Amino acid sequence: MKRRLRLISAVAATAAAALTLAACSGSGSPAPSGSAGGDSLAGQTITVYNAQHEELTKSWTDAFTKATGIKVQVRNGDDTEMSQQLIQEGKRSPADVFLTENSPSMSAVEKAGLFTSPGAEALKNVPTEYRPSSGKWVGIAARSTVFAYNTAKLTEAQLPKSMMDLADPSWKGRWAASPSGADFQAIVSALVQLKGATAAEDWLKAMKTNSVAYKGNSTAMKAVNAGEIDGAIIYHYYWFGDQAQTAENSKNVALHYFKNQDPGAFVSISGGGVLASSTHQAAAQKFLAFVTGTEGQKILQTGTSFEYPVGSGVAANPKLVPLKDLQAPTIDPATLNSKQVTDLMTQAGLL
């Protein structure tokens, strides 16, 4: 009898405890910190293959983890390196997300059939002009092509009206670029789309004769600043980044925007895609939704990368020329072809 009474008492105590727990876990209780309101994805870890600026991506991943509780592991490299690694790894890749600086590397991975949808929310966040027609990835940022020139060596009246003018013999030895970099190769890829392979090949041959090659956009801008060269084809943010610090490598440099839908007005789209082989696709899509959402794009607006936001209606840093005023040519990022470009540049003796 005593044993039976103890059993009844234990059952009653357990039932009371269960009722108390249920009452305490009602809708009025706060969610655990960083769990995004109890999101079932919190606690997962995604792997990002990153070819964007490391500091920018860290800002994105830190803010994303704080908002969602989803952890992010990042592997850094350049556009070509990371895209080729993904292609070699194929379905065995541990990557969940791929981020790039330039579109051609995204297109290479897309053409290999390695992307799934970036997610409905990310697609909704980014206007059609800043993502490929295929819908297999989305734009996450943008950068403008510019002609950085030494103000003591060139007046505005002496500036080239078009990037194509740099093929003229009068520019021999007077302008520079970084032909081995993915940045410049993206510009050439746009040139191929706008003018055709034959015209691009002719321009590249003239470039081999006329231009001076430097390793990296920053190095080319330094050479312009030092008066070693009159001007250089680079992306805009190198100048803005240096101006925001000491300006020691850009104090003698100004930027010329070609505009008028010129190949030299090309706006390069940085991309983000979700791998079809990802085992955390929902979390990966949530990451791209965050990056292209208001909070992620404001990191571009207020940060030190000086790249353009392209999503969720977020305006650019007020120091930048507004995207709509750049008069950039319309190019479907899905059509940019890195393999064709490197072949043409190799034939021209630039690589």
Side-chain angles (χ1 to χ4, degrees):
M1 180 61 71
K2 290 181 180 179
R3 188 177 302 164
R4 185 177 300 172
L5 288 173
R6 285 197 299 270
L7 178 60
I8 291 171
S9 297
V11 171
T14 301
L19 287 171
T20 301
L21 179 61
C24 292
S25 60
S27 58
S29 300
S33 176
S35 68
D39 193 325
S40 61
L41 301 176
Q44 289 191 17
T45 300
I46 60 172
T47 297
V48 173
Y49 277 20
N50 177 53
Q52 244 293 352
H53 296 155
E54 292 183 22
E55 289 184 8
L56 171 59
T57 298
K58 188 177 188 307
S59 295
W60 274 331
T61 57
D62 287 351
F64 174 70
T65 298
K66 182 178 180 181
T68 66
I70 300 170
K71 299 176 183 179
V72 185
Q73 292 181 337
V74 179
R75 297 187 184 181
N76 294 303
D78 65 30
D79 280 0
T80 303
E81 173 192 355
M82 300 307 283
S83 64
Q84 289 304 310
Q85 183 173 342
L86 280 168
I87 292 169
Q88 290 171 8
E89 290 173 347
K91 295 179 180 179
R92 296 173 287 102
S93 178
D96 299 294
V97 175
F98 181 36
L99 302 181
T100 64
E101 288 189 6
N102 296 289
S103 299
S105 291
M106 297 299 295
S107 295
V109 175
E110 179 184 347
K111 287 179 173 66
L114 299 179
F115 283 139
T116 187
S117 171
E121 189 174 351
L123 288 168
K124 182 181 178 182
N125 287 344
V126 181
T128 55
E129 60 264 39
Y130 302 122
R131 53 183 169 88
S133 57
S134 63
K136 286 295 186 180
W137 52 274
V138 291
I140 57 173
R143 60 277 301 280
S144 173
T145 308
V146 294
F147 185 69
Y149 66 97
N150 186 297
T151 54
K153 303 192 78 170
L154 291 173
T155 66
E156 289 189 16
Q158 295 172 318
L159 294 170
K161 299 296 186 292
S162 166
M163 189 178 82
M164 306 304 288
D165 294 346
L166 296 173
D168 189 90
S170 63
W171 281 97
K172 184 174 181 179
R174 298 174 58 204
W175 71 279
S178 177
S180 61
D183 286 357
F184 187 78
Q185 290 170 21
I187 297 168
V188 176
S189 188
L191 172 61
V192 172
Q193 291 303 310
L194 291 166
K195 299 294 185 179
T198 300
E201 184 177 10
D202 290 342
W203 189 85
L204 290 170
K205 288 178 179 177
M207 176 183 171
K208 172 63 177 175
T209 299
N210 288 354
S211 71
V212 177
Y214 287 88
K215 183 71 173 179
N217 284 277
S218 295
T219 307
M221 184 179 71
K222 288 179 184 179
V224 174
N225 186 66
E228 296 175 15
I229 201 83
D230 291 7
I233 295 289
I234 62 172
Y235 282 149
H236 77 280
Y237 62 86
Y238 290 94
W239 185 87
F240 283 95
D242 190 68
Q243 286 282 306
Q245 297 177 34
T246 62
E248 62 182 321
N249 297 313
S250 60
K251 61 184 178 182
N252 302 317
V253 179
L255 301 184
H256 172 53
Y257 294 83
F258 289 106
K259 301 186 176 182
N260 301 309
Q261 290 75 49
D262 190 78
F266 169 62
V267 169
S268 180
I269 305 300
S270 299
V274 175
L275 278 301
S277 57
S278 168
T279 56
H280 304 290
Q281 288 186 10
Q285 290 173 340
K286 194 175 186 72
F287 175 68
L288 286 187
F290 177 87
V291 167
T292 58
T294 301
E295 187 173 350
Q297 293 293 285
K298 280 188 174 179
I299 288 173
L300 286 168
Q301 181 191 61
T302 61
T304 58
S305 72
F306 291 99
E307 295 184 70
Y308 284 97
V310 295
S312 300
V314 176
N317 184 306
K319 293 182 179 180
L320 305 184
V321 177
L323 269 174
K324 62 181 179 59
D325 295 340
L326 295 176
Q327 300 175 16
T330 301
I331 297 176
D332 182 353
T335 64
L336 301 180
N337 188 320
S338 56
K339 176 64 166 59
Q340 182 184 26
V341 166
T342 54
D343 287 347
L344 287 172
M345 293 182 72
T346 299
Q347 292 168 16
L350 292 164
L351 295 177

